[in-house]
Amino acid sequence: MSSNSPRGLSQELVDLIVDHLHDDEDALQACTLVSKAWVPRSSSYLFRELQWPRCSMVTRDFCPEEHRGDNTLSGCMQLLSSCTRVTSAVKQFELR
């Protein structure tokens, strides 16, 4: 049993906890603050579906500061291209 997480939790248990919270955005954001071991699974749910113009708001805490605040489509695309942690989790991108 691997214990990369706080209190010796195995990654499998961490993944189960995060999976249970898959539809609670606030809880998922909190999970990203627990430990580095919690980030990949939490990010996979947080960024699975992004919508423009909302993408800059959703990614603001996870991407470089110099790319935040530009709500244009090109700004959103630049933000996403600078933040591989987010783009690796995106499965669907919608223009609204």
Side-chain angles (χ1 to χ4, degrees), residues 39 43 47 50 55-56 58-68 75-90:
V39 171
S43 295
F47 307 122
L50 282 183
C55 68
S56 63
V58 172
T59 60
R60 72 182 174 272
D61 296 329
F62 300 93
C63 295
E65 192 169 331
E66 64 268 13
H67 297 294
R68 297 182 206 162
C76 183
M77 298 311 287
Q78 186 176 22
L79 178 110
L80 292 174
S81 68
S82 72
C83 190
T84 56
R85 185 165 97 180
V86 172
T87 55
S88 64
V90 174

Side-chain angles (χ1 to χ4, degrees), residues 28-80:
L28 290 169
Q29 287 179 349
C31 287
T32 66
L33 303 174
V34 172
S35 165
K36 287 182 181 181
W38 290 59
V39 171
R41 191 64 153 222
S42 301
S43 295
S44 73
Y45 287 112
L46 281 170
F47 307 122
R48 180 169 284 166
E49 297 175 6
L50 282 183
Q51 298 171 355
W52 178 77
R54 189 173 180 260
C55 68
S56 63
M57 183 183 76
V58 172
T59 60
R60 72 182 174 272
D61 296 329
F62 300 93
C63 295
E65 192 169 331
E66 64 268 13
H67 297 294
R68 297 182 206 162
D70 185 350
N71 289 328
T72 65
L73 180 57
S74 63
C76 183
M77 298 311 287
Q78 186 176 22
L79 178 110
L80 292 174

